[in-house]
Amino acid sequence: MNRVGSISVWIVAAVLVKSIFAAPPPAEPVEIGTETQFLIDDHLVDNRWAVKQKKEAVLRVLHPPVKHPGNPLIAGDGGFVSVVKDEEAGLFRMWYQTHTWESLGTDETKTIYGIAYAESTDGLHWDRPSLGLYDWEGSTENNIVWRGLKESRASGPQILKVPEKDRRGHRFLLTYRTTAATKGQNGIRVIGSQDGIHWDESSDTLIHPLPSDTLNSIVYDEAREEYVMFCRPKDRYRLFNGDILDTGESRRIARMSHTSLWETWPTSPQTILTPDELDARESFNAFYGMPTRYHAGIYWGALWCFRFNDHIFTELAFSRDGYQFDRLPDRPKLIPLGEEGTWDDSMAFGSMDWVEVGDEWWFYYAGWDGDHGGKDRRPGIGLAISRKDGLVSLHGPSGGGVVVTRLLKWPGGNLLVNADASEGELKVRVTDAHRKVIPGFDYPDAEPLSKDRITHEVEWKDHSLDELTGREVRLEFYLRNSDLFTFRATGSVP
């Protein structure tokens, strides 16, 4: 795979060398088990430095997904999008927000929202089946699968990933927002389905009356055994017409949580992410939403940065605790706008519902060729592809650099790394708590890596890391012109 990292970070190296902590450091020794360990922040990094430290540094680099040359995969339709790979059916399944304008008999129009469905065998060529379930623009020949209670409004769809115990017998769970339903029923809701097309209205449950008009993303945090929602603080900002002095600004990222999914959440949203000085450089002083995924102990956010009232692009945000989110210091774009005149040159709404396809992560996103404030725009849905587990790396400079982990309790087995060392070299040595080299595991003992692979097995000449099972160790990665994305232990074979 070609390197797609943005090495422009060198221009602002003085800023980038600061550490990123999305939560307090973990207690040591850290028990990492066999889960993949990401280096998106310094959670597991004790130190990092360049050999030529006066001129170089070991820096964190974003490797944004590359837009597919066949985009848009769906043209003339689309909105917020959620995709899953249904292994049982052998299909990629997509749910997305669509809308149309209904005339009010004057020059004014009313926006009508629905949730549409598409499917694909390869993730590239999509079929929008004519389902005949709902009237849409005067016809039932469409792919609309849900319009909300009493066909009032269904917007902001996201397919939920939840434990089996909380599925209530449904294969698919959907969260969405509705308005104009029966009084007391408006807000954020959850509904279930067996096939993803026919939704069980009897299961439709209001979980919060919050009028948060965006995609309100819900994830399950296995560590805390709780559900977390990322939304807008719309219960207290912009609830009425008036001057912004009084209404305030609701386009911020807020958080609420609850231990149960299928009941009214008793909490109020707490604002956790507000645009800052770097956003203000180009007047992106609002956040439109943040679809989020909880994976490998990390909250991965697709932050929609909004310049009122025109452009929107997607940036990466991340957190270890779901409260304190970090963004890379030079603010590279995860899903940038397309070039002027292209289908996604004005708005790009990325999603964190990536689909793993071989050694790649596939990110589907919605794009628009017109700005947020106007109606003269056309939508589409596109695809951007990244390396598996490969959004962010630690990059060692040409003169070489070192990354030292915190003290780890080695769970046994071998060490696997996801790394691109095709233009340089990567070696690993193993030390104790005070960085004293464990005999047989020094750099000269290590077999150097010099290829680009999703899975490298690190080896030493006369010893196996499995010999250190249960020991407290540090891993010291030497990176010369190479990128380290992740590492993990295989675990001892019984």
Side-chain angles (χ1 to χ4, degrees), residues 30 96 142 200 232 275 290 297 299 319 321 343 363 395 456 466:
V30 184
Y96 61 92
N142 57 64
D200 178 12
R232 291 177 179 173
M290 189 174 71
Y299 287 82
S319 173
D321 61 8
W343 71 280
F363 293 81
H395 180 80
H456 294 270
D466 193 48

Side-chain angles (χ1 to χ4, degrees), residues 192-205:
S193 171
Q194 288 299 329
D195 59 7
I197 297 174
H198 303 88
W199 293 87
D200 178 12
E201 188 167 345
S202 68
S203 72
D204 197 0
T205 302

Side-chain angles (χ1 to χ4, degrees), residues 137-202:
E137 297 183 323
S139 172
T140 58
E141 296 297 313
N142 57 64
N143 61 331
I144 307 296
V145 294
W146 187 239
R147 289 196 58 181
L149 291 175
K150 297 185 178 180
E151 300 187 23
S152 54
R153 170 179 174 145
S155 61
Q158 184 187 38
I159 297 297
L160 302 182
K161 299 173 177 62
V162 307
E164 192 63 35
K165 65 180 178 63
D166 290 338
R167 290 191 168 276
R168 295 192 173 181
H170 300 292
R171 285 196 66 214
F172 301 98
L173 297 183
L174 175 79
T175 183
Y176 73 99
R177 176 192 176 237
T178 192
T179 57
T182 304
K183 185 177 180 180
Q185 295 301 308
N186 294 326
I188 302 166
R189 307 184 69 90
V190 173
I191 189 171
S193 171
Q194 288 299 329
D195 59 7
I197 297 174
H198 303 88
W199 293 87
D200 178 12
E201 188 167 345
S202 68

